[in-house]
Amino acid sequence: MDKTINVTLKVWRQRGPKAKGAFETYKLNGVSTDSSFLEMMDQLNEQLISERKEPVVFDHDCREGICGMCSLYINGHPHGPDEDITTCQLHMRKFKDGDTITIEPWRSHGFPVIRDLMVDRSAFDKIIQAGGYVSVNTGGAPDANAIPISKEKADLAMDAASCIGCGACVAACKNGSAMLFVSAKVSQLALLPQGKVEAARRAKAMVAKMDELGFGNCTNTGACEAECPKNVSISNIARLNREFLCAKLKD
Amino acid sequence: MSSIGKKTIQSITGGALILFLTFHALMNIFVIISPEAYDAICEFLGANWYALVGTVGLAALVVLHFIFAIVLTVQNYIARGSERYAVSARPKGVEWSSRNMFVLGLVVIGFVVLHLLNFWYKMQLQEILGNELEMSGAEFVQDLFSHPVYCILYMIWLVALWFHLQHGMWSAFHTLGWNNNKWIPRLKCISNIYTGIVCALFFCIPLYYLIINLIA
Amino acid sequence: MSNETIKIDSKIPQGPLAEKWTNYKAHQKLVNPSNKRRLDIIVVGTGLAGASAAASLGEMGFNVLNFCIQDSPRRAHSIAAQGGINAAKNYQNDGDSVYRLYYDTIKGGDYRAREANVYRLAEVSNNIIDQCVAQGVPFAREYGGTLANRSFGGAQVSRTFYAKGQTGQQLLLGAYSALSRQVKAGSVKLYTRREMLDLVIIDGKARGIIVRNLVTGKIERYAAHAVVLGTGGYGNTFFLSTNAMGSNGSAAWQAYKHGAYFANPCYAQIHPTCIPVHGTNQSKLTLMSESLRNDGRIWVPKKLEDAKALQAGKLQGRDIPEEDRDYYLERRYPAFGNLVPRDVASRAAKERCDAGYGVNNTGLAVFLDFSEPIARLGKSVVEARYGNLFQMYEKITDVNPYENPMMIFPAIHYTMGGIWVDYELQTSITGLFCIGEANFSDHGANRLGASALMQGLADGYFVLPYTIQNYLADEIRTPRFSTDRPEFEEAEKKVNARIEKLMSIQGKRSVDSIHKELGLIMWDFVGMGRTAEGLKKGIEEIQRIKKEFWSNVFIPGDGKDMNTELEKALRLADFIEIGDLMARDALHREESCGGHFREEHQTPEGEALRHDDKYMYVGCWKYTGEDSEPELLKEPLNYEFTEVKTRNYK
């Protein structure tokens, strides 16, 4: 039941944002195929600590695929070769004995490396702060059932809202574009009557912030959607374009 | 200008160029169906003022499309960050052409220059300058494609053009916001077929002359 | 012990139960808008409670400083809550009401929570749903456009609102968006990747915190007029739990060491439906939403030989015929069936596994089976309801739950215990408030499903923003504090000394290896079934681990730079002490109630046996120093409005 494999890891190590990084190669034996990828990384770190070396730094938290903290560009794919999951849900049974696994941080101008595999994704927070909300204060909200919302729209909004803000879309995009992330939030709120009121303002503000922060331009390659662990659709990007262009035309 | 604004210009200019190519292809195909009809069209689209305005407009579209492509590509290159991935894989479902639009565009524009030298320089430009044409439009075509090298070069070009267009067309709709979950596969299919027909019409011509010349 | 010397004042307002909160709000002190601008509030944590509090306080005009350990407020562990949030809307017309939600919650908590707090919680529950919908939270809806509901454990009405299997995520993103709006407005300042390492007290009032910048390793000081902790629970004491890797009890523990009472630490919730442990390298346990128990049926084989064959891998769940299956929850609790509260379901699973009927190779798992609902409703309906959970299960276990029953086992999930707070959510330290899972207030000895989200948001949106004003109204003349004051100086020195001490040990063991050892001790002796003997043994073992940790831990790297091992070590140092206090509390509470099950105290049928005559109180532990035992204070629970009964789900 408990099968183990031996793997070779090529891990990106970098002291700080300005330091020069390089790959280090580590051999790791006896990895259970039932382990998750991050448990394998824990095992690597335990091995490094036992050799009195500094462990590899990587972001992780909930380990159940929802917090969006884990990242890692594994063998050419953000969140690794398996589909519809984050790195923490990737399991070692997807790898074979003797495999070499290359592990890199998200690489994008918008996400500078902090150390090793950890990157700074605060740009996403800044984009949300620019307008990714409904301007409503606590208290005084009307009854939740006061405005009926069609199930279809609510479901579409939910699909867009399932974005976990991990940044895999930016990491996967050859243009380093954050359009899928931005469009998911704009779509979620534009689809709902509560968010529709300030949809135009929101779309303009969020796109302006996205551009300002140096994310690239979307060229509709669809890599973001293909690598998104939550299957957020690029149709949201079309909706964002629509919202944005209509808002600009009205000006 | 915002990223979406720049992309909108790409979409509109690109869309207009696809329309131009559509008419261009429909006219060209006459060169193998009926050279006389083709010459009549050449005559009709000679150095009239509206043809000239059209030509200038067309040139402006190409220039805009090209300039914005450069701006977008440079920005995208910078956005990717200074360090490149050591290993990268093309995710499932991502078209090869979509990742190489700029390169394809360069190939296309390189050939456009050649094409202008081959035909436009000898035909419309001479007319504008008031010079007498050496031969009729159909004869120019026949003359050029009597060299099999040109036939093959043009055929390669048209394949590159098709790759550029089949992504460009649905992408233009997407950028303009005319897309949704249902229409993404439909638009991709329509783009493939539509641009396929346009390019096939062009493709027929060098292919036709290549075969004729081989048989002769 | 001097139980009678300190009187615990819970500040419960006078009046009938249903009018207490209204009366309180009508008579409390408020702060006028121009004064609000002059008052600073530190909020530690950006989960449902922290983010909603920071956002609401910011909207009101206070100056808020908001801290989190993650890179973004959106990643707080509230995000992982799957199933839903309760509210007494009665949209389903099935007889729900504020009183019924109150009653279910207080009964679910085994009559160990305060009546007034729980009633207030039920009262504001409806406002939460309204608020979230206004923020654009995409709750599930019916075709007619109205909100949909599902059922959860411990209730006979459908009152749980949900957004697919990602309700916590959607609610947190709602609070996060409100918070982001205030960040833009300038009323909230956000400090991410910062971990609170100490509380600063000036003249007896909480006035600031010391944090470690997790990126630079620098120690930073922040001052304010009041400090709010919304730092979650301490479930990770067990190492393996459903909590996030970074979830920790350190902020609460620093408050405890400064004199905030720690209430009911032994009340820890074991969630019945988690994916079983696979091996020693396991880093965390994954929860499968309680909503699965709406349709899924829990069983083990009737025959011991079938169980043996399952354990040996010779049989699979689907091979066992219907008549040989023991649907033990439906058998034991016909009225609630598979929807009994979590503590009951967990203990029943343990009972079966202890009797040898476990169904996986370790013998520590039971089946959660969907073959009957798939046959009844069709695969597509089941997929629409639980598709994402099934996918998650398959990714982790490599078993397709549509074809073979899922295997589940209980795991540590939530801690009902926490920092003691009064009705105003103020701790026993003046100016220090505590909200959400970090406090002890509303769930008694056991929390019902879909109530954690309700409590976090109730505290943050609708309770604290009122009650904190009652305190701040008297602080409007207090000028801002300089962080150069000696109190900050001293606190920072203390933190630095602690870090230096940890870095200087340079022993042989990694932090995780010691934490795993602590986790096993906790699970074995302070877990689902506790005995006096086991708890005493547990306390001894924890002391041994404490010595081992402080003499043999190895932390590589530099203490004054980013250092992930140091972060873990600082947390583990506190977990060890929390574990000790949990065991002490469990040992002193000679009864079984909710999540606390003492094997000596059970009915002949194996149900929890309370001793209301002796233990109808909140056990509040007061720190007395590094080398002395903590002191137990008691806040009696007076049930004036509700008849206290034995819980019965039969």
Side-chain angles (χ1 to χ4, degrees), chain C residues 337-459:
Chain C
N338 292 298
L339 281 176
V340 290
R342 291 174 176 173
D343 54 337
V344 178
S346 292
R347 274 200 299 279
K350 180 179 189 292
E351 188 273 328
R352 283 291 83 192
C353 291
D354 286 350
Y357 290 92
V359 299
N360 70 350
N361 57 334
T362 58
L364 295 174
V366 299
F367 285 127
L368 175 61
D369 196 342
F370 279 82
S371 54
E372 187 266 337
I374 288 172
R376 176 165 48 91
L377 304 162
K379 191 181 159 187
S380 59
V381 174
V382 171
E383 193 173 347
R385 283 186 194 165
Y386 310 110
N388 56 338
L389 298 171
F390 278 34
Q391 184 234 21
M392 184 163 95
Y393 182 85
E394 186 170 357
K395 290 283 181 195
I396 293 173
T397 62
D398 213 21
V399 172
N400 179 348
Y402 293 101
E403 285 163 12
N404 224 335
M406 290 184 188
M407 288 188 204
I408 53 159
F409 198 66
I412 287 284
H413 178 53
Y414 185 91
T415 49
M416 282 73 67
I419 295 294
W420 180 89
V421 289
D422 59 21
Y423 189 74
E424 296 182 319
L425 304 181
Q426 187 163 210
T427 69
S428 46
I429 298 173
T430 311
L432 179 69
F433 294 77
C434 190
I435 55 178
E437 187 182 350
N439 76 24
F440 89 107
S441 71
D442 296 350
H443 304 298
N446 175 52
R447 177 176 67 75
L448 290 184
S451 283
L453 303 185
M454 174 170 71
Q455 187 225 339
L457 290 179
D459 286 359

Side-chain angles (χ1 to χ4, degrees), chain C residues 18 40 65 107 126 157 159 174 192 210 219 221 236 272 306 359 394 600 637:
Chain C
D40 302 337
L65 296 85
K107 174 187 169 193
N126 290 339
V157 294
R159 63 158 74 99
T192 58
I210 304 290
I219 303 297
R221 310 169 181 185
N236 266 348
D306 283 349
V359 299
E394 186 170 357
E600 305 95 322
L637 291 165

Side-chain angles (χ1 to χ4, degrees), chain C residues 14-36:
Chain C
Q14 294 304 309
L17 188 59
E19 288 166 27
K20 283 180 192 288
W21 181 230
T22 314
N23 286 344
Y24 176 87
K25 286 192 290 183
H27 297 108
Q28 70 162 117
K29 286 177 271 188
L30 294 173
V31 181
N32 89 17
S34 66
N35 286 329
K36 281 179 185 148

Side-chain angles (χ1 to χ4, degrees), chain C residues 448-515:
Chain C
L448 290 184
S451 283
L453 303 185
M454 174 170 71
Q455 187 225 339
L457 290 179
D459 286 359
Y461 282 133
F462 297 109
V463 181
L464 180 84
Y466 283 92
T467 59
I468 200 170
Q469 290 190 66
N470 208 29
Y471 166 71
L472 288 172
D474 294 332
E475 295 289 329
I476 52 175
R477 282 185 198 84
T478 314
R480 292 203 155 95
F481 295 92
S482 160
T483 52
D484 295 332
R485 289 179 64 120
E487 291 88 347
F488 279 94
E489 194 75 43
E490 197 186 321
E492 183 175 329
K493 226 183 258 170
K494 206 176 89 192
V495 165
N496 276 326
R498 188 172 157 90
I499 290 172
E500 271 159 35
K501 187 169 176 202
L502 280 169
M503 294 305 298
S504 68
I505 298 169
Q506 295 292 312
K508 289 201 173 62
R509 292 187 61 182
S510 71
V511 179
D512 276 358
S513 75
I514 301 176
H515 198 166

Side-chain angles (χ1 to χ4, degrees), chain A residues 63-78:
Chain A
R63 297 212 177 181
E64 49 187 278
I66 194 74
C67 75
M69 190 98 174
C70 64
S71 50
L72 307 190
Y73 200 84
I74 303 161
N75 283 350
H77 293 279

